[in-house]
Amino acid sequence: MFFRNVWSAAEINVLCKPLLYKQTSQNLGNARLQIRSAFHNSRRSARRPGPDTNPLDSINVESGPLYARALFKPFLFTIGVSSISLAGCVIWEYENLRAHATSFLRRPGTWLHAHQKRFTAHMKSEPGPIEKWWKSLKESEKVFYPILAANVLVFGAWRVRSFQPFMIKYFCSNPSSIVKCLPMVLSTFSHYSALHLAANMYVLYSFMPAAIASLGKEQFVAMYLSAGVISSFASFIYKVISNQPGLSLGASGAIMSVLSYVCVQYPDTRLSIIFLPMYTFAAGNAIKVIMSVDFAGVLFGWKFFDHAAHLGGALFGMAWCYWGSQQIWAKREKLQQYYHSFRKDSR
């Protein structure tokens, strides 16, 4: 068993990209104001605003009617980011394998060299506490902590009031915004609520060891980044079809891809509710329940969570498990050979 206690189907579904609909005077029929727990409900006072006031209370959020042509650039951006993520991680894997092979070939092969290495090691200074801590981490933790650090850094930026207009523009995906594409990626590292951040990171930490054990760290990162932008695009499609502009943020679309991949890859793994560990259920059944809830949310137009982003991320995780890993990642040798030739010629 790769993990012990995880959220139940309902609890995992809470890890949402909250939709924030702002009603404007120009488009009263098309936009709604709905602020969930990701943004606190406290109101900005006239002179002395509180530290956790909702930034949307005083900043005009772009909102208006949506058209299908608004999806063209986000569609190309989604393809581009996914392709760059895959290519970058393939090159990353090549460099890791090359560094490992180089270090293996340079190992001393004689008794004298071995003793010289020990003497040199004694002469070197002891590694610092951070280096010791990093070397003690598991492979999955070495991937998780940089993701956690990025999310915490963005969370801290939300706390700076002067940054909030910038954060809303670039770290909240919004199909009616002038800046549509870049926030599709940046919003997957963006959390305004501490509870939202903690819950998302807990689920990611719980399921990441199983995913990395199956995929490897390079393929996992490629899938995670691709899932983030694809889930944002799925949210865009739903908002355009329903003509409901609004903001979304959070890592749950990408996390849903990890969750669905693990549940499909290991369907018989027993999961349990974090506060009720005595009740267990199969991972295959859990993902069916979660996706059913999100599908119902999309079908009936529920506004509690960004169900379209959840569903898009989950479908991508399943697609990667059944098809992407074998048909895309497994055929990366040509790109590695091309990069090898390019690297050799550029010397």
Side-chain angles (χ1 to χ4, degrees):
M1 182 178 294
F2 292 102
F3 30 78
R4 295 181 180 178
N5 295 330
V6 295
W7 295 110
S8 64
E11 288 171 322
I12 292 174
N13 206 44
V14 172
L15 309 181
C16 63
K17 281 185 161 187
L19 294 178
L20 306 169
Y21 295 98
K22 186 170 182 64
Q23 188 172 6
T24 60
S25 57
Q26 293 83 2
N27 190 25
L28 293 175
N30 294 329
R32 305 177 189 177
L33 175 62
Q34 181 177 5
I35 301 173
R36 296 301 300 169
S37 59
F39 289 92
H40 299 285
N41 291 325
S42 57
R43 294 291 178 178
R44 185 185 300 271
S45 61
R47 295 184 179 179
R48 300 182 62 184
D52 293 326
T53 54
N54 187 349
L56 295 181
D57 287 341
S58 61
I59 298 175
N60 185 27
V61 179
E62 298 170 85
S63 179
L66 299 173
Y67 304 98
R69 63 176 178 269
L71 294 174
F72 181 68
K73 287 184 179 180
F75 173 71
L76 295 180
F77 183 78
T78 300
I79 295 176
V81 170
S82 300
S83 301
I84 292 173
S85 299
L86 290 168
C89 289
V90 168
I91 294 173
W92 179 30
E93 182 188 48
Y94 171 88
E95 292 293 344
N96 287 338
L97 292 174
R98 187 176 183 279
H100 180 74
T102 302
S103 63
F104 179 80
L105 293 175
R106 289 180 178 176
R107 290 179 181 177
T110 64
W111 177 86
L112 178 60
H113 284 165
H115 279 273
Q116 288 178 345
K117 184 177 179 180
R118 291 175 188 173
F119 178 76
T120 305
H122 283 295
M123 296 296 293
K124 292 182 178 179
S125 59
E126 288 291 327
I130 297 179
E131 185 178 354
K132 287 183 178 180
W133 170 77
W134 181 258
K135 290 182 178 180
S136 66
L137 295 178
K138 300 176 182 178
E139 194 74 9
S140 61
E141 293 175 334
K142 290 182 179 179
V143 179
F144 170 76
Y145 282 112
I147 295 176
L148 174 64
N151 281 271
V152 171
L153 183 63
V154 175
F155 173 77
W158 273 109
R159 315 261 70 82
V160 181
R161 185 173 304 278
S162 60
F163 288 176
Q164 288 179 353
F166 176 84
M167 301 299 293
I168 290 174
K169 186 175 183 179
Y170 289 99
F171 285 85
C172 293
S173 63
N174 181 7
S176 61
S177 173
I178 297 177
V179 183
K180 294 182 178 67
C181 295
L182 189 59
M184 294 173 67
V185 175
L186 298 181
S187 64
T188 62
F189 297 91
S190 178
H191 300 82
Y192 185 83
S193 167
L195 179 61
H196 188 201
L197 172 64
N200 271 345
M201 293 300 102
Y202 175 82
V203 173
L204 180 61
Y205 183 81
S206 299
F207 285 87
M208 184 179 283
I212 290 184
S214 175
L215 297 170
K217 62 181 180 181
E218 296 88 359
Q219 186 180 175
F220 172 85
V221 172
M223 185 190 78
Y224 185 84
L225 295 176
S226 300
V229 68
I230 288 173
S231 64
S232 294
F233 183 68
S235 176
F236 274 23
I237 294 175
Y238 175 75
K239 290 173 183 177
V240 169
I241 292 176
S242 60
N243 198 21
Q244 295 176 346
L247 306 182
S248 296
L249 75 167
S252 43
I255 293 173
M256 280 295 296
S257 71
V258 179
L259 176 64
S260 64
Y261 176 88
V262 172
C263 290
V264 171
Q265 186 73 9
Y266 308 104
D268 298 326
T269 300
R270 305 302 297 180
L271 308 180
S272 63
I273 303 173
I274 185 171
F275 298 115
L276 299 172
M278 69 290 297
Y279 298 105
T280 62
F281 44 88
N285 294 331
I287 193 61
K288 292 177 183 177
V289 173
I290 296 170
M291 293 184 66
S292 297
V293 173
D294 285 324
F295 180 76
V298 170
L299 188 63
F300 296 109
W302 295 346
K303 303 297 190 302
F304 297 105
F305 315 120
D306 195 339
H307 296 286
H310 283 190
L311 199 58
L315 289 173
F316 177 75
M318 295 177 64
W320 192 262
C321 182
Y322 286 121
W323 181 79
S325 183
Q326 293 80 17
Q327 300 299 322
I328 298 178
W329 187 261
K331 298 180 179 180
R332 64 192 184 279
E333 288 82 6
K334 291 183 179 179
L335 178 58
Q336 288 179 336
Q337 291 174 1
Y338 175 80
Y339 177 74
H340 176 75
S341 301
F342 172 80
R343 196 177 189 279
K344 185 178 180 181
D345 295 337
S346 61
R347 288 181 179 179

